[in-house]
Amino acid sequence: MPDEYPHRTRRPVRARSAIALVAAAGLIAACGTGDGPVDIFGDGGWRGGLSDAHNSASVAPDGSRDLALEWTRPLGAEIATRPSIAPNGQITASMAASGNCPLGSFQGESGRKRFCNGLGPSGVSSTPVADTASNLYAGEDGAVVSVNQNGQTRWLAPVYGVPRTPQFLPDGNLLAITQFGQVNVLSNQTGQAAAPVLDLVPTPDVLAAPDTALRPADDGLVACLGGGPSCPVAAAPAVDLAASVVYVVLWRDGAIAPQVVALKYTAGPEPSWSEEWSSELLPTAVTSSPVLSPDGSRLYTTDVEGSVRAYDTADGREVWTYFVGDRAPGSVAVAPDGTLVPSGGAGATLRAVRDAGDTPDVVWERTDLVQAGAPAVAGSTVYAVTGTDELSLTTVDLATGETVDTDALPGAAGYSPGVVVGPDREVVVPVGLGTLYSFR
């Protein structure tokens, strides 16, 4: 992985064996950044792949409408998911392990590499999440690993499978749900289990049946791309911190289709899980994360056929459906005022939709702007990657759909996993073939 200034390399941490991690008898722990729990709920940064616990792909402060390209950074590897931005402005991306350096972290103001760590090859499938101290929590083959802002390992905890992008729970513990449907609650400080493991899909009992083999940690990840049944949980959950409810799209064992499932988390001396409700079987697969409305009353999914579906979070009832376009690749962005900006597939135009209760109402549609990446919202401002042969970052007014700024992405090709917005209103655009662009 090249580092343009200065020209030097760091020795990568050797990737760990998934088999060894799953077989580990206990937790591998290292020093944390303090003796007490980390406050993970402060403002600032784009903490995870979709910004926050609601997966909103938005931030409350209004975004800049007069941007200029500050730096570009070649990664030397493909990037399939959005990066995250810690409160200190540090940008962290999970990249294809072509250079033994799949976890790369960069200074927000310059793009200079902070550190480059090894992960299991499946770590590329999710985004690290940051806390207020800019510690990072990443999933990989058979484990969750936490590192500090300098890339030093804080702790490593074995799990069954590969965690989808981690989230935080109301008590500050880390939530890691793997593609196998194993729900883990881990202390953000030590990585130790903070609640009993919940298996949404039965896990093979090797003690009761010694001849039963556990699935390899990365098994089913290819199916996650299409939402198939061998990947019970394809994407990160959404968390309602106020209600302490976790929402996940789950393909149950033996089912013919997935469902949206609401899980109540009860913290305390004896933490526990209970199922609040499950929706009817979905018409088709969902590969993107569910998204909560700002008030938590609605949950939105985007299925592989390109339909956005709205659910009442009180009982899981489907309220309405809106067709975006064939194979819309990502979750909707939900603005602080509740306006939806869907992520369209190839050839889909940029638009805004309002949840009017029983129906979706189109606020505006820009037929001249073809999406080439998942959008982000900052207050009343929309950022979207648009174009076909030549890509640009287009800044749009959320209320009117009017273009207020257009900035070229020099040399960009392919599709962007999605725009992200940092704590100083910087806008970072990853392009799938392996470049970061930063605007201020």
Side-chain angles (χ1 to χ4, degrees), residues 1 73 75 90-91 104-108 111-114 436:
M1 181 174 182
R73 170 81 204 203
L75 300 176
Q90 191 166 317
I91 303 165
S105 202
F106 311 94
Q107 292 178 346
R112 182 175 181 177
K113 188 193 304 177
R114 286 294 305 273
L436 291 178

Side-chain angles (χ1 to χ4, degrees), residues 19-436:
I19 296 176
L21 289 172
V22 173
L27 180 74
I28 303 173
C31 294
T33 56
D35 295 329
V38 175
D39 173 17
I40 56 87
F41 297 117
D43 294 330
W46 185 286
R47 301 297 188 78
L50 291 169
S51 179
D52 55 21
H54 282 200
N55 291 331
S56 70
S58 70
V59 294
D62 205 20
S64 173
R65 299 189 174 193
D66 185 17
L67 294 170
L69 181 62
E70 186 173 43
W71 53 260
T72 64
R73 170 81 204 203
L75 300 176
E78 295 181 0
I79 176 171
T81 62
R82 276 178 160 111
S84 58
I85 304 182
N88 66 356
Q90 191 166 317
I91 303 165
T92 304
S94 299
M95 301 163 289
S98 58
N100 293 322
C101 189
L103 185 66
S105 202
F106 311 94
Q107 292 178 346
E109 68 275 9
S110 66
R112 182 175 181 177
K113 188 193 304 177
R114 286 294 305 273
F115 65 82
C116 182
N117 285 8
L119 286 177
S122 301
V124 68
S125 67
S126 67
T127 300
V129 66
D131 62 25
T132 50
S134 298
N135 297 311
L136 297 166
Y137 306 82
E140 64 162 307
D141 299 60
V144 180
V145 61
S146 178
V147 301
N148 65 20
Q149 60 184 296
N150 299 314
Q152 298 165 315
T153 300
R154 300 175 65 234
W155 51 258
L156 177 73
V159 297
Y160 181 48
V162 178
R164 317 325 294 134
T165 298
Q167 290 276 26
F168 290 108
L169 291 166
D171 58 4
N173 289 318
L174 188 75
L175 172 68
I177 303 181
T178 72
Q179 88 276 24
F180 296 154
Q182 186 186 77
V183 181
N184 299 272
V185 180
L186 306 172
S187 164
N188 66 52
Q189 188 68 10
T190 66
Q192 294 176 335
V197 170
L198 172 65
D199 290 309
L200 299 175
V201 175
T203 300
D205 188 347
V206 295
L207 295 180
D211 293 334
T212 302
L214 292 172
R215 295 172 65 178
D218 63 351
D219 193 25
L221 283 182
V222 174
C224 293
L225 300 176
S230 59
C231 175
V233 177
V239 181
D240 187 331
L241 294 171
S244 195
V245 177
V246 173
Y247 299 92
V248 63
V249 178
L250 172 66
W251 201 305
R252 297 186 192 272
D253 192 30
I256 61 172
Q259 296 170 282
V260 180
V261 177
L263 302 169
K264 178 75 172 181
Y265 173 68
T266 302
E270 297 182 1
S272 63
W273 291 97
S274 60
E275 184 173 315
E276 295 281 278
W277 51 258
S278 58
S279 71
E280 295 183 356
L281 294 177
L282 305 184
T284 188
V286 172
T287 60
S288 58
S289 294
V291 183
L292 280 166
S293 63
D295 65 2
S297 66
R298 283 282 193 272
L299 186 78
Y300 305 104
T301 64
T302 306
D303 62 37
V304 297
E305 292 183 352
S307 292
V308 176
R309 301 180 187 274
Y311 296 87
D312 189 324
T313 57
D315 54 14
R317 172 179 58 92
E318 184 181 316
V319 181
W320 53 255
T321 301
Y322 175 75
F323 183 69
V324 178
D326 185 44
R327 293 195 67 82
S331 307
V332 296
V334 181
D337 69 357
T339 303
L340 311 181
V341 182
S343 174
T349 57
L350 186 66
R351 71 194 80 186
V353 177
R354 181 174 294 113
D355 188 338
D358 294 332
T359 60
D361 289 347
V362 178
V363 180
W364 50 261
E365 183 175 3
R366 291 288 304 273
T367 57
D368 59 319
L369 293 179
V370 177
Q371 292 196 58
V377 178
S380 62
T381 304
V382 179
Y383 299 108
V385 179
T386 61
T388 51
D389 296 332
E390 296 181 355
L391 302 185
S392 298
L393 173 65
T394 302
T395 306
V396 172
D397 184 276
L398 176 66
T400 66
E402 177 187 1
T403 297
V404 294
D405 193 20
T406 302
D407 297 276
L409 297 170
Y415 192 86
S416 172
V419 181
V420 300
V421 181
D424 293 328
R425 302 198 303 169
E426 67 272 31
V427 178
V428 178
V429 182
V431 175
L433 295 181
T435 303
L436 291 178

